[in-house]
Amino acid sequence: MIYLFKHNLHYFFVILFFWMILLENAFSFGIFHSFSNGLDIRVSLFMRILFLLNAFVLFFKGNLLIKELNHVLKLIIILFIFFIYGAVSQPQYIVGSLSVSIQTISILSIIPYLYFSNSNKLTINIFYKNLRIFALINSIFLIVSFFYPNLIEAFESSSGGENISRSFGIMGDEISIFLTFFILDSFHNKKWKTLIIFLVSFLLTGGIAATFMLFSLFAFYLYKMKFFSLKKILSTFFGLILVLVFLYNFSDQIPFVKRILLNINSPESNSVGLRLLSFTTGLNIFLDNLWFGLGFGFYGAYIKDTFSYLGTEVTIISATYNQYLQILCELGIIGFLFFISFIFKSMKQLKRKLKFNFNSNLSIAYIWLFVAFITMQSGVWFTPSSFVFLLIVMPQCRRRGL
């Protein structure tokens, strides 16, 4: 981080932002005051305000109107409009939704914040190195938390009612998806030591959806990198056989294998059943609010109020566990079309940048994003303080040629 501080303050503040969110969530560090419904005055809030003010200034200067940032500006405006719509139609939920809106739009504002910074290839390489260090430290925390879950209060683990030990370090359960990026990155750059650490920590999270995404990532990676020679196909095939044999022999010790077996044997009482309940609840909400949704950020508060008679179980259905359905519930069909447009334009621009300068960092980001948008169907990553959302934003911050 010291090198980033010397080379580029914008990139330094974004890495600092990563760490600040992590520490605040894990240790309640830097929280000055908490309101009801999740609105907190935190140190990271002031950094978010910095990103928002920067976007505000760029907009009035006309910089946000350039073609490469047009999709970002449109999404920011749509999210703001749908927040206002929700605030007018359901003002009783405005506090919680305000927190969601500020935090989400501020992360989107990181794109122009870094895009117009005085960056170069050295700065970007240092930035990616700091991201890898961030992921590595969280992986080490995760491994320690698996063996010593009570070592520090911030360690997170879960059995999910399945009697399966799952660990998430201090980041939370989104770390399994987060690590898929760095596993592929380490493999591509032949960083075998860090790859082993990332893989071990990944297995200890027990993430079924993340495991499916990881296999999809490597399949798409082999396709894009044109590695389908006979020798490499055979090596991959035998490698998969060894992995499957390993998983079978150690199925009692590996969380995600045990979860798969339990979900097959009794889906109604495990995560599949709970996610199906959340999905069907979200589907009903969408059908009742077809065109404009509930308003951006209003879903969780609306569900907790409407289904309060369920007691603590209402937390289970307070999210749809599917990002696209969540957007449909909050923005309706109208807003959903803008959201899909944001995804397509993001991928199109990244592909164009790759043709200009195909380098390892950006190519891995492109592959990861492409697979993530398709396979990441069991979680809501477009939420406040989401590290997965931060990863989705990062590749779009680069100008062509850097």
Side-chain angles (χ1 to χ4, degrees):
M1 287 184 67
I2 296 175
Y3 291 108
L4 268 183
F5 181 80
K6 292 179 179 179
H7 285 88
N8 191 300
L9 280 177
H10 282 218
Y11 279 86
F12 169 78
F13 278 122
V14 171
I15 286 293
L16 187 63
F17 182 59
F18 269 84
W19 282 106
M20 191 57 62
I21 294 176
L22 181 72
L23 295 175
E24 287 174 348
N25 292 346
F27 301 100
S28 298
F29 173 81
I31 300 178
F32 301 114
H33 185 72
S34 296
F35 297 96
S36 60
N37 298 317
L39 182 61
D40 297 330
I41 304 298
R42 305 172 173 223
V43 173
S44 64
L45 177 62
F46 298 106
M47 301 180 76
R48 293 178 189 277
I49 292 172
L50 170 66
F51 303 144
L52 289 169
L53 286 176
N54 178 75
F56 187 77
V57 170
L58 289 173
F59 173 76
F60 279 96
K61 285 184 176 180
N63 292 340
L64 279 183
L65 300 177
I66 68 171
K67 187 176 180 180
E68 282 206 335
L69 294 178
N70 190 253
H71 66 299
V72 179
L73 176 61
K74 285 181 180 178
L75 186 59
I76 288 175
I77 292 173
I78 285 299
L79 294 183
F80 180 74
I81 289 173
F82 276 88
F83 162 72
I84 297 298
Y85 166 75
V88 171
S89 59
Q90 301 177 96
Q92 65 271 33
Y93 307 128
I94 193 172
V95 176
S97 61
L98 179 63
S99 174
V100 174
S101 299
I102 289 175
Q103 296 187 61
T104 304
I105 292 175
S106 67
I107 295 179
L108 280 172
S109 298
I110 290 175
I111 296 176
Y113 180 74
L114 291 186
Y115 187 90
F116 287 106
S117 67
N118 186 25
S119 59
N120 52 44
K121 289 182 179 180
L122 176 62
T123 302
I124 292 171
N125 287 334
I126 296 173
F127 177 72
Y128 269 91
K129 184 177 181 180
N130 275 272
L131 282 180
R132 294 180 186 116
I133 292 171
F134 178 83
L136 183 63
I137 291 175
N138 274 282
S139 291
I140 294 171
F141 272 127
L142 192 155
I143 294 171
V144 173
S145 71
F146 182 82
F147 294 102
Y148 304 99
N150 299 316
L151 184 63
I152 60 176
E153 189 177 348
F155 280 161
E156 293 189 38
S157 60
S158 171
S159 62
E162 301 160 338
N163 196 27
I164 300 172
S165 296
R166 302 180 62 200
S167 296
F168 312 117
I170 63 175
M171 181 182 286
D173 59 358
E174 69 174 321
I175 193 172
S176 56
I177 294 291
F178 184 78
L179 287 175
T180 57
F181 177 92
F182 297 96
I183 291 172
L184 186 65
D185 175 72
S186 296
F187 178 81
H188 179 81
N189 291 295
K190 297 180 175 60
K191 298 180 182 295
W192 307 121
K193 292 180 181 179
T194 55
L195 176 62
I196 291 172
I197 295 174
F198 287 141
L199 280 172
V200 169
S201 59
F202 177 83
L203 288 173
L204 298 181
T205 66
I208 297 175
T211 303
F212 173 73
M213 179 180 169
L214 187 63
F215 279 111
S216 302
L217 273 172
F218 275 95
F220 189 59
Y221 172 83
L222 293 173
Y223 169 74
K224 292 299 291 184
M225 298 299 176
K226 305 184 186 305
F227 283 172
F228 282 113
S229 66
L230 179 61
K231 179 181 178 181
K232 289 176 179 177
I233 288 175
L234 291 174
S235 300
T236 303
F237 177 74
F238 285 114
L240 285 173
I241 291 177
L242 291 174
V243 170
L244 291 173
V245 170
F246 172 80
L247 295 179
Y248 178 79
N249 289 332
F250 292 91
S251 60
D252 290 337
Q253 286 76 41
I254 299 176
F256 85 88
V257 177
K258 291 178 70 176
R259 290 186 68 216
I260 290 174
L261 294 175
L262 280 170
N263 280 299
I264 291 173
N265 295 329
S266 54
E268 70 286 346
S269 60
N270 291 291
S271 61
V272 169
L274 297 176
R275 289 176 187 270
L276 182 60
L277 174 62
S278 300
F279 186 90
T280 53
T281 303
L283 186 59
N284 290 328
I285 297 297
F286 162 60
L287 294 175
D288 291 337
N289 303 270
L290 198 62
W291 293 105
F292 300 101
L294 294 170
F296 183 65
F298 282 76
Y299 185 85
Y302 175 83
I303 290 292
K304 289 178 181 178
D305 182 44
T306 305
F307 297 91
S308 58
Y309 59 86
L310 293 175
T312 56
E313 292 182 3
V314 72
T315 305
I316 297 171
I317 61 172
S318 61
T320 62
Y321 288 98
N322 181 280
Q323 184 58 66
Y324 300 107
L325 179 58
Q326 186 85 16
I327 291 294
L328 282 168
C329 289
E330 296 192 335
L331 306 184
I333 293 176
I334 302 297
F336 181 77
L337 292 176
F338 282 93
F339 177 67
I340 293 298
S341 174
F342 168 79
I343 291 175
F344 275 107
K345 288 183 179 179
S346 297
M347 296 307 301
K348 184 178 179 180
Q349 289 186 7
L350 282 178
K351 190 173 183 179
R352 188 162 57 245
K353 291 176 184 178
L354 280 172
K355 288 181 180 179
F356 185 85
N357 184 12
F358 196 91
N359 61 74
S360 60
N361 291 337
L362 199 55
S363 62
I364 293 304
Y366 173 81
I367 291 170
W368 184 84
L369 278 179
F370 183 87
V371 174
F373 285 136
I374 296 173
T375 63
M376 206 157 36
Q377 301 300 317
S378 64
V380 179
W381 41 264
F382 203 69
T383 54
S385 305
S386 168
F387 290 101
V388 174
F389 184 24
L390 280 165
L391 276 186
I392 289 171
V393 164
M394 287 302 105
Q396 302 179 60
C397 300
R398 309 235 341 234
R399 294 193 198 183
R400 182 180 297 184
L402 290 181

